[in-house]
Structure formats: structure tokens, C-alpha cells
């Protein structure tokens, strides 16, 4: 390592993390202000399977800190330990210690169930040492020392007693001769250097799925509707390789995902590279590294917590996070401007003018209660070039934005008050693009700074308030505010510009009865520009739900005839308040919004032993109140019934019936639609399933001038299989066969039109998953 000081700090941190709090003498009394440390009775020595082990503490944990937990390997054996004032003792009479080497970890579990590692030890379990005799005094110890090649501490402690009276620190060969200081025996030199290559955690998890999908038969009527590939057989690949590694302060996790297809047009980058797209490609990857508290991520990540500056922006790049102190933390990210796949631009930072760079600094005012009062400051500088991506066409022009944002998070100690507020100031500009200018004298877009802000606050007016012995009441008031200036834009966040929005809501419950109400007010054209239409939106939403058994009858013995019901209602008003002069609106008054829409629904669900029944009712009404379109009103009514029957433990039947009626007041036409959909699911055994869905749809107007008939049949059989011998020798797979038949006929007597289409397909699939 080029920096010896950094290497020394990492080494000392590694030693401290693996031997934190250990003392040669065991327990030493300390005050409650001292950090809680743990030492072990079995450190650097081998124990027998039935030998008790003990952990010594410098002080017992207090109630605010929580309690202790102990894991041996991956098993939580906390319940088998006996807790005394200053020790944890395990007596293996009922459950012997596992032979060999195991990782033992002691955790401090907070009242909020947050686990903090206090100490980690290596437990070596072997057979009991034989009593000392003349024939075995020179026997080598069963366990290896903690440091490669060094004498075990228990052997050194025995001194002259085990070595036939030799001086302390002397070493002898098998023939009894004394070695010089620092000299090793051949046996010592041949010992495997296990500690140098040992990891606290080392795991590799591959998964490869190879699948064959085929359409061996297909028929279409009329022939003109025949698809480009009526029959085909394709080979697809999905592969994922994960690894986990940890040693001391260092830990890492990696995952690489690949996809492939034998059909060129299904290559992941076909839309970007066409016929040159590789048929097997890298779809995503993520490498995470942690040294102490510092975290570094490389690959496909998400970054940003400021809603209006950069919020969960996802792309390929790198991020870094480091807690500087108990109050202060820092993070930074550099990411490609758009989502990318493949091996090209592997790090995502090949194009400086097509990426986002951001950093954030957070400060906890109450470090003992994270999130109690936290302030975050974020900055961002982003560029986008007119470059096509695998899932996106060309960007029309180059774009750039940069800005700064602040976010404040606050909660009270009881958790009843919650606040998430922030503001951002961003500059957005379209740099000059010669390709778009085409040599013309184009006026450039001015680089202007614009602001945005938001605030989400809520308070629990009632929290677990006892109404009766069994029922508790909760009531929460919430307020949401957002204002975004005209022409505001940030490349790191999806925010609608030129709006101000306020929402008030109440959310309450008494036992199983719940209800919500919300009122929304939205305005646009904040600058009141005369040439732009200004419109407002007002919305009221109400919903409630309850099992009727909680209101009627005996709640302890609810009647199955009483359903769970719910009701929702929404009324939205949109209207223009400032009509621009000379904009053409005076010629077409219907273009000025003035509309009231209502939507309400009722649901009821019954649950019997083997039968489920549900009813859905929905009614919506669109009232257009413009001067020239006051009759263009629409009414829609839907009734739906659902039945589910469990005929046997392996056979389920389903039945859906929906009737819809739509009335157009202006044309005075009523359209009706009736849909019937039966189906079944038969689990023939634990690995095979036969399922079918059928749909019949009849639609037309009340005068029978137009009518449509649609029939769809789908039946599928699937079989799962697998063989597993060990973690690297297991294969799973699935086979399926599917038949689909679609029929559609439409007629229009007013224009003398008739259309008939048919389509049948047979699909087969076979997949194998390795590892």
C-alpha cells in the first residue's frame, strides 16, 4: 500500500474489531459511562464439546441499551445462555458445542430491535486433551494458534512443567535439542497458514437459467393478419453471479446479471445497436465494498434524497458514503445521465458531458435519536447529450442543470409528529446544438435560476387511545405543500413546473373501522402570464371500510353472512380562471376547462369456509359545464360479481361476471358490455398444475346498431422438476405447454361493416436453472 499511515490505521482497526474489550485477566469493573466490552473464556484455546464457555462483561447493559444476543455460526443460541450480573455462561449438557471451528458473535440488541456487534471470537471445539504422561508431554496441540506459526498461548503457559523443566520461552525438537531464539522446527514451518487466508464470511452464489420457448403451431384468419414469425424456437439465457466476503473491517458484496437470446431482435441492446447488438450482454451489476463505516458502490445504483433536486436517480456509476462523526455524514455520486447496459462504458463515466455528479452532507442534531432532527444539504451538476439509449430514443437536444437543495427531517420523541421539508434552487439551460440550429440564427435559451419547495407534515391527534378494552382509536392529520416555479427543472428529479399544490387529509380508525378524507387544491400559471390559460383544480376524496361484524352482532362470533364493506368517493373540479385574450379561446369556448367529475364505488366481500363471494359497484359522472359543451356529459355504471369455490384441496374454481353501461348525453347513446369469465386451477400434484381461463364478452349499443363478440380460451399445463445433491450440484426446471384461441367479430349496421378475426397458438417452454 502506498500510504503506510493508512495501512497502519486499517490494521489497528482490524485488530480492535476482532479483539475489542478482551483482557488477559477477564472481567474488570468499570463505570456505566464506559463502552460495553466483552471477553471470552475460550480465547486462543481449544475446548471440549461438553465444556462450559463464558463471556465476561466490564459492566451489565442498562435498559436503555437493550439486551445481549449470542450466535454460534448462523444459529442464535441466546436462549441457552445464563445471564449473571457480569457474565454470560453456556452449559452444553443439553446441546454439545459443534465440533471444529465456529464463529461466535455477541450483539447488543436495542429496544428498537437494532443489532450492534460488540465482539466476535473463533470457537475451536475438539476432543478432550489427554492427561499429561511421559509419552504425551511432547504432543502437539490440536488447535492452531491465532497467528501463523506462533506457539499456542496455553502451551507457552505450561512452561517447564510440560517441557521437562526447560526454561520459559525455550523450544525443543523431537529429539530434545534446544532451538535458538527465533528458530522454528520443520513441523512449525509446515503448518498451513490458515489465518492468512481465512475470512469471516466467504460465499459464492451462482444462478444460471437456460430456457427454450417455442411456438410450433399457429393459425390466423384472415391471412393478412399472419405475424412475421408464426412459428419459432428461441433459446434464452439468464445468469446471475453473487458473492459475499467479509474479514474484520472489510466486507464486500457483488452481483452481475446477464441476459441473452438467440433471436437477434430480443437482444437487450437491439433498439440501440440493431444487428450489431450482442446476443449475450451484461444487463446490470453492482459491487459494494465497506471498510469500517465507509461504503463504496460501483455499478447500477440509485442516489439522492432531495425530492426536487435529485431523488432516487438510477443509473450506472459510483457512490460513496462515510459517517464523519456521530452527527455528520457525507455521501457523493457520479452517474451516467441515462440508464445503460452492456460492457461498454463499464463504469458509466466515459462521457463527462453525459452524467450527473452530486454530493450530500447530513447533520444529526440529536445523535442519540437518529431522524429526530436532521438537516441534509445536496448539490448537483448534470449534463445530458442527444444520445440514444437501450430503452430510450434520442434526446432532442443537449440539456444541463445544476443546483443546491436542503432537506429537513424531524420527529418528536413519541413519534407522533413527523416533518419532511425541503427546498431546491436549480438552473436549467439548453446549450447551443449546431445539429438542431442547422445554420440558422436561433435565439438561445436564457440560463435562469428557479426555486422549488415542499413540506410534508403529520401529527397523530389520537394514538392508541382506548375506546373499549378491545378497540383503540387513531387519528392522524397530514398537510402536504409543494410549490415549483415556472420554468423550473432539474435533471435529477421528475418535477412538474409552474404549480402550487396544497393537500389536507385526515386518516382515522377505531378497531377494524377505518376512514380517510383528503382535500387537494392545485393552481398553475403562477406568474399570471396573460397569454397563458390559468386553471385551477379542487378535489375531495373520502373512503371508509369496515367488517359489518364489528358493528352488528357479536364480534367474538362474527356471522359469515355479514360482509366486509368499503366505500370510496371522489369529486374533482377543474376550471379556467384567466382566459388569455387573442388566444383563440373566444372562438372555441369549449377549450376552456369547466368540468366536474365524480366517481364513487362500493364493495362487499363474504368469506365462507370454501366459498368466497364479492360484489363491486362503481358509478362515475362527468359533467361538462362549458357554454358550448354543456350537454357533453358521460355517465358510467359497472356491476361486478366474483365467486371463488374450493372444491377440494387441489381444485379451485372461479367465476367473474361484469355488466357495464355507458350513457353519452349529447348523442343520447347507451353502450352496454357484458363479460363472463369462468376458470379453474387444478394442482394435480406438488409439481404439476393444470389451469384454464375462458372469457366471453358481448358489447353493443342499446339500438343494436353496433355489436361485438369476443371469445378467449387459454389452457396451460406446467410441471416443475429438480435434483439437488449439494449447493453446487443442483438443477431445477420447468416445462409448460399452452394453447390459446381467440375469436372476435364486430358489426356496424349503420355503415354495413362486418369484421371477423381468429387466432390460435400452441406454445411450449422448457427451462433449466443450475445451482
Amino acid at each position: 500500500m502506498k500510504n503506510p499511515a493508512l495501512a497502519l490505521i486499517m490494521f489497528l482497526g482490524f485488530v480492535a474489531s476482532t479483539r475489542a474489550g478482551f483482557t488477559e485477566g477477564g472481567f474488570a469493573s468499570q463505570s456505566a459511562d464506559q463502552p460495553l466490552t466483552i471477553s471470552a473464556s475460550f480465547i486462543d484455546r481449544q475446548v471440549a464439546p461438553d465444556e462450559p464457555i463464558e463471556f465476561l462483561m466490564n459492566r451489565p447493559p442498562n435498559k436503555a441499551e437493550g439486551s445481549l444476543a449470542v450466535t454460534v455460526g448462523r444459529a442464535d443460541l441466546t436462549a441457552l445462555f445464563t445471564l449473571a450480573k457480569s457474565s454470560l455462561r453456556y452449559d452444553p449438557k443439553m446441546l454439545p458445542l459443534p465440533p471444529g471451528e465456529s464463529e461466535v458473535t455477541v450483539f447488543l440488541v436495542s429496544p428498537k430491535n437494532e443489532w450492534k456487534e460488540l465482539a466476535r471470537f473463533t470457537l475451536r471445539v475438539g476432543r478432550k486433551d489427554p492427561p499429561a504422561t511421559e509419552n504425551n508431554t511432547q504432543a502437539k496441540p490440536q488447535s492452531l494458534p491465532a497467528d501463523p506459526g506462533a506457539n499456542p498461548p496455553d502451551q507457552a503457559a505450561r512452561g517447564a512443567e510440560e517441557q521437562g523443566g526447560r526454561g520459559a520461552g525455550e523450544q525443543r525438537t523431537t529429539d530434545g535439542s534446544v532451538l535458538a531464539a527465533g528458530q522454528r522446527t520443520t513441523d512449525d514451518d509446515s503448518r498451513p497458514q490458515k489465518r492468512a487466508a481465512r475470512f469471516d464470511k466467504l460465499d459464492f452464489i451462482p444462478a444460471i437459467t437456460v430456457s427454450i420457448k417455442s411456438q410450433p403451431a399457429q393459425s390466423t384468419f384472415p391471412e393478412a393478419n399472419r405475424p412475421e414469425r408464426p412459428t419459432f424456437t428461441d433459446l434464452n439465457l439468464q445468469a446471475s453471479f453473487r458473492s459475499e466476503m467479509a474479514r474484520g473491517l472489510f466486507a464486500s458484496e457483488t452481483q452481475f446479471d446477464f441476459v441473452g437470446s438467440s433471436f437477434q431482435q430480443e437482444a437487450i441492446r437491439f433498439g440501440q445497436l440493431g444487428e450489431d447488438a450482442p446476443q449475450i450482454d451484461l444487463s446490470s451489476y453492482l459491487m459494494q465494498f465497506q471498510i469500517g463505516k465507509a461504503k463504496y458502490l460501483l455499478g447500477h445504483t440509485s442516489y439522492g434524497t432531495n425530492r426536487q433536486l435529485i431523488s432516487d436517480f438510477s443509473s450506472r456509476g459510483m457512490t460513496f458514503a462515510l459517517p464523519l462523526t456521530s452527527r455528520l455524514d457525507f455521501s457523493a455520486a457520479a452517474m451516467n445521465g441515462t440508464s445503460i447496459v452492456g460492457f461498454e462504458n463499464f463504469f458509466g463515466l466515459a462521457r463527462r458531458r453525459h452524467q450527473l455528479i452530486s454530493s450530500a452532507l447530513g447533520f444529526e442534531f440529536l445523535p442519540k435519536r437518529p431522524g429526530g432532527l436532521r438537516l441534509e444539504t445536496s448539490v448537483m451538476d448534470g449534463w445530458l447529450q442527444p444520445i440514444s439509449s437501450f430503452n430510450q430514443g434520442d434526446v432532442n437536444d443537449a440539456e444541463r442543470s445544476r443546483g443546491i437543495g436542503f432537506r429537513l427531517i424531524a420527529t418528536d420523541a413519541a413519534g407522533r409528529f413527523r416533518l419532511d421539508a425541503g427546498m431546491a434552487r436549480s438552473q436549467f439551460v439548453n446549450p447551443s446544438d449546431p445539429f438542431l440550429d442547422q445554420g440558422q440564427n436561433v435565439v438561445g435559451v436564457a440560463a435562469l435560476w428557479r426555486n422549488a419547495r415542499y413540506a410534508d407534515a403529520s401529527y397523530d391527534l389520537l394514538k392508541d387511545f382506548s375506546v373499549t378494552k378491545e378497540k383503540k382509536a387513531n387519528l392522524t392529520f397530514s398537510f402536504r405543500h409543494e410549490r415549483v416555479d415556472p420554468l423550473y427543472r432539474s435533471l435529477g428529479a421528475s418535477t412538474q413546473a409552474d404549480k402550487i399544490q396544497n393537500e389536507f387529509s385526515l386518516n382515522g380508525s377505531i378497531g377494524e373501522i377505518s376512514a380517510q378524507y383528503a382535500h387537494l387544491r392545485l393552481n398553475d400559471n403562477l406568474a399570471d402570464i396573460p397569454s397563458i390559460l390559468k386553471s385551477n383544480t379542487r378535489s375531495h376524496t373520502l373512503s371508509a371500510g369496515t367488517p359489518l361484524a364489528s358493528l352488528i352482532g357479536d364480534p367474538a362470533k362474527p356471522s359469515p353472512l355479514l360482509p366486509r364493506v368499503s366505500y370510496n368517493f371522489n369529486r374533482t373540479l377543474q376550471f379556467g380562471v384567466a382566459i388569455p385574450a387573442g388566444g383563440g379561446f373566444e372562438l372555441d369556448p369549449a377549450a376552456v376547462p369547466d368540468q366536474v367529475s365524480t366517481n364513487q364505488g362500493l364493495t362487499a366481500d363474504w368469506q365462507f369456509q370454501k366459498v368466497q363471494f364479492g360484489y363491486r359497484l362503481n358509478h362515475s359522472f362527468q359533467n361538462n359545464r362549458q357554454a358550448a359543451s354543456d350537454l357533453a356529459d358521460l355517465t358510467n355504471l359497472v356491476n361486478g360479481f366474483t365467486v371463488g369455490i374450493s372444491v377440494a384441496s387441489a381444485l379451485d374454481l372461479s367465476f367473474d361476471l361484469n355488466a357495464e353501461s355507458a350513457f353519452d348525453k349529447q348523442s343520447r347513446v347507451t353502450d352496454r358490455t357484458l363479460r363472463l369469465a369462468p376458470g379453474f386451477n387444478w394442482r394435480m400434484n406438488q409439481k404439476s398444475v393444470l389451469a384454464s381461463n375462458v372469457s366471453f364478452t358481448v358489447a353493443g349499443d342499446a339500438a343494436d346498431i353496433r355489436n361485438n363478440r369476443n371469445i378467449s380460451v387459454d389452457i396451460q399445463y406446467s410441471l416443475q422438476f429438480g435434483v439437488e445433491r449439494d449447493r453446487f450440484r443442483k438443477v431445477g426446471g420447468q416445462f409448460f405447454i399452452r394453447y390459446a384461441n381467440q375469436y372476435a367479430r364486430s358489426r356496424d349496421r349503420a355503415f354495413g361493416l362486418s369484421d371477423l378475426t381468429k387466432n390460435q397458438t400452441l406454445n411450449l417452454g422448457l427451462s433449466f436453472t443450475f445451482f
Side-chain angles (χ1 to χ4, degrees):
M1 186 173 289
K2 296 182 180 180
N3 192 332
L6 178 60
L8 179 60
I9 293 173
M10 293 176 61
F11 175 77
L12 293 177
F14 172 76
V15 174
S17 68
T18 54
R19 297 180 177 251
F22 300 170
T23 59
E24 191 72 25
F27 175 78
S29 177
Q30 297 186 19
S31 67
D33 296 332
Q34 296 295 324
L36 181 60
T37 58
I38 307 292
S39 62
S41 63
F42 54 88
I43 184 173
D44 287 333
R45 73 179 183 89
Q46 179 176 281
V47 299
D50 58 350
E51 180 181 347
I53 60 175
E54 189 175 26
F55 298 101
L56 301 178
M57 303 174 287
N58 64 331
R59 61 175 180 83
N62 54 51
K63 293 183 179 180
E65 292 177 309
S67 59
L68 297 177
V70 182
T71 61
V72 179
R74 295 186 177 182
D76 187 353
L77 302 183
T78 306
L80 300 180
F81 279 81
T82 303
L83 176 63
K85 182 177 181 181
S86 59
S87 66
L88 274 172
R89 182 180 175 85
Y90 176 71
D91 192 347
K93 291 182 179 180
M94 296 182 59
L95 182 63
L97 296 171
E101 293 189 0
S102 302
E103 203 73 26
V104 181
T105 311
V106 183
F107 296 90
L108 180 63
V109 184
S110 71
K112 296 182 178 180
N113 199 31
E114 297 173 347
W115 289 52
K116 177 184 178 182
E117 181 179 325
L118 294 179
R120 182 179 296 187
F121 310 92
T122 298
L123 174 64
R124 301 181 178 89
V125 180
R127 57 183 177 84
K128 293 183 179 179
D129 292 332
T133 65
E134 292 182 358
N135 295 329
N136 63 22
T137 54
Q138 298 297 328
K140 290 185 287 187
Q142 295 292 323
S143 61
L144 290 172
D147 298 323
N151 284 330
D154 54 326
Q155 179 179 346
R158 287 194 291 268
E161 180 179 354
E162 289 190 352
Q163 302 299 331
R166 71 172 184 236
E170 290 183 355
Q171 299 185 47
R172 295 177 181 266
T173 63
T174 54
D175 62 353
S177 59
V178 179
L179 294 175
Q183 184 179 353
R184 296 173 181 262
T185 65
T186 303
D187 290 341
D188 285 337
D189 291 338
S190 62
R191 290 175 182 172
Q193 305 297 310
K194 288 187 177 181
R195 184 60 183 174
R198 184 180 301 149
F199 292 91
D200 300 328
K201 186 176 184 180
L202 183 61
D203 205 358
F204 177 67
I205 310 168
I208 302 175
T209 300
V210 180
S211 59
I212 302 172
K213 64 176 184 177
S214 175
Q215 185 168 289
Q218 189 270 348
S219 70
T220 303
F221 178 85
E223 190 66 21
N225 292 345
R226 187 176 178 86
E228 182 180 353
R229 299 178 74 213
T231 60
F232 58 83
T233 299
D234 296 335
L235 180 67
N236 294 331
L237 170 71
Q238 289 184 336
S240 176
F241 301 94
R242 293 178 51 215
S243 69
E244 298 179 6
M245 182 175 62
R247 180 173 182 179
L249 293 177
F250 176 79
S252 72
E253 294 184 17
T254 65
Q255 178 165 342
F256 289 81
D257 298 321
F258 301 85
V259 295
S261 175
S262 62
F263 183 43
Q264 182 66 31
Q265 294 184 12
E266 289 185 352
I268 192 171
R269 285 193 287 167
F270 179 80
Q272 181 180 5
L273 302 177
E275 296 296 330
D276 296 329
Q279 292 179 288
I280 299 179
D281 215 343
L282 176 67
S283 60
S284 67
Y285 79 94
L286 178 61
M287 297 188 290
Q288 305 179 60
F289 305 96
Q290 182 170 351
I291 301 178
K293 296 181 179 180
K295 295 181 180 180
Y296 176 74
L297 285 78
L298 177 64
H300 291 78
T301 63
S302 297
Y303 184 81
T305 58
N306 190 293
R307 182 184 302 177
Q308 295 161 329
L309 183 68
I310 178 169
S311 177
D312 289 328
F313 182 83
S314 299
S315 187
R316 182 184 290 182
M318 56 182 66
T319 63
F320 173 77
L322 175 65
L324 302 176
T325 67
S326 61
R327 296 176 179 265
L328 195 64
D329 57 83
F330 172 79
S331 65
M335 310 175 74
N336 195 70
T338 53
S339 296
I340 55 176
V341 296
F343 292 94
E344 290 83 1
N345 195 2
F346 183 78
F347 298 106
L349 305 176
R351 299 182 179 93
R352 173 63 185 90
R353 294 298 181 94
H354 192 69
Q355 61 184 239
L356 269 67
I357 299 176
S358 180
S359 64
L361 190 66
F363 185 80
E364 295 279 357
F365 291 89
L366 306 173
K368 294 184 178 180
R369 188 163 57 85
L373 185 60
R374 175 179 173 84
L375 178 65
E376 297 176 357
T377 303
S378 303
V379 294
M380 190 210 71
D381 188 4
W383 291 81
L384 285 183
Q385 298 295 323
I387 301 173
S388 62
S389 180
F390 78 102
N391 62 349
Q392 175 182 335
D394 289 345
V395 179
N396 291 330
D397 55 359
E399 300 172 340
R400 186 189 182 189
S401 74
R402 56 182 176 176
I404 183 172
F406 302 93
R407 183 189 184 198
L408 180 67
I409 304 173
T411 60
D412 64 344
R416 302 184 68 163
F417 172 75
R418 298 167 294 276
L419 173 67
D420 183 356
M423 64 164 294
R425 182 170 175 81
S426 176
Q427 182 193 59
F428 177 79
V429 63
N430 291 114
S432 177
D433 190 340
F435 181 78
L436 293 178
D437 295 346
Q438 296 289 314
Q440 302 295 320
N441 185 17
V442 179
V443 179
V445 178
L448 301 175
W449 288 89
R450 290 293 183 261
N451 301 324
R453 67 174 186 259
Y454 77 93
D456 294 346
S458 63
Y459 183 76
D460 297 331
L461 302 175
L462 297 176
K463 186 175 182 179
D464 294 333
F465 178 78
S466 296
V467 179
T468 64
K469 292 183 179 181
E470 294 81 15
K471 296 182 179 181
K472 294 184 178 181
N474 293 277
L475 181 62
T476 301
F477 172 77
S478 300
F479 170 71
R480 295 178 177 85
H481 166 79
E482 184 175 14
R483 177 191 167 96
V484 186
D485 283 351
L487 303 180
Y488 176 91
R489 188 179 178 194
S490 173
L491 297 181
S494 299
T495 303
Q496 178 186 344
D498 195 14
K499 73 170 184 179
I500 182 170
Q501 175 178 311
N502 292 291
E503 183 178 3
F504 311 85
S505 64
L506 280 172
N507 190 327
S509 66
I510 300 177
E512 295 180 312
I513 306 172
S514 62
Q516 300 84 32
Y517 170 76
H519 174 58
L520 173 69
R521 304 177 69 87
L522 173 65
N523 301 338
D524 62 5
N525 193 7
L526 304 184
D528 293 325
I529 299 176
S531 60
I532 298 178
L533 175 68
K534 184 180 182 67
S535 61
N536 295 341
T537 301
R538 304 291 183 261
S539 174
H540 300 267
T541 303
L542 173 67
S543 63
T546 181
L548 290 183
S550 63
L551 301 176
I552 306 173
D554 185 4
K557 297 181 180 180
S559 171
L561 298 177
L562 297 175
R564 176 178 181 85
V565 297
S566 62
Y567 172 77
N568 62 81
F569 172 84
N570 174 265
R571 182 181 186 272
T572 301
L573 169 63
Q574 295 176 316
F575 58 98
V577 293
I579 302 174
F585 292 97
E586 64 277 3
L587 303 177
D588 186 11
V592 180
D594 189 3
Q595 182 185 94
V596 178
S597 300
T598 60
N599 184 79
Q600 51 188 327
L602 175 68
T603 66
D605 295 289
W606 289 263
Q607 177 69 56
F608 301 94
Q609 186 175 2
K610 292 187 176 182
V611 179
Q612 298 177 359
F613 180 76
Y615 171 69
R616 306 286 184 271
L617 172 66
N618 182 266
H619 179 270
S620 61
F621 176 61
Q622 179 178 310
N623 182 11
N624 292 291
R625 306 191 301 185
Q626 299 95 326
S629 303
D630 56 336
L631 295 179
D633 299 337
L634 301 174
T635 304
N636 197 74
L637 179 66
V638 179
N639 285 276
F641 302 88
T642 302
V643 180
I645 304 174
S646 179
V647 179
S649 60
L651 179 61
D652 297 328
L653 303 180
S654 63
F655 178 86
D656 292 345
L657 177 63
N658 284 276
E660 180 178 354
S661 175
F663 175 68
D664 187 335
K665 184 178 179 181
Q666 189 170 23
S667 62
R668 307 193 65 81
V669 173
T670 300
D671 292 323
R672 295 189 176 96
T673 303
L674 182 66
R675 179 178 178 270
L676 176 64
F680 72 86
N681 188 295
W682 179 22
R683 296 174 292 278
M684 306 173 69
N685 53 49
Q686 292 183 350
K687 296 184 178 181
S688 60
V689 176
L690 179 65
S692 175
N693 293 286
V694 182
S695 175
F696 303 92
T697 304
V698 179
D701 62 308
D704 198 24
I705 297 176
R706 293 175 290 104
N707 61 71
N708 300 290
R709 303 290 186 269
N710 292 274
I711 302 175
S712 175
V713 179
D714 188 305
I715 183 168
Q716 176 173 304
Y717 170 79
S718 62
L719 171 66
Q720 294 182 342
F721 55 88
V723 177
E724 180 175 356
R725 295 183 179 179
D726 54 50
R727 61 171 299 184
F728 287 110
R729 290 189 300 173
K730 56 185 179 182
V731 179
Q734 182 176 6
F735 166 79
F736 78 87
I737 179 171
R738 176 176 176 262
Y739 169 76
N741 190 331
Q742 296 178 336
Y743 168 93
R745 185 173 193 126
S746 62
R747 292 178 177 177
D748 190 326
R749 290 184 172 86
F751 295 94
L753 299 177
S754 179
D755 187 29
L756 173 65
T757 60
K758 298 179 183 179
N759 185 55
Q760 297 184 73
T761 58
L762 179 65
N763 295 96
L764 302 175
L766 180 62
S767 64
F768 297 91
T769 300
F770 302 92
F771 306 114

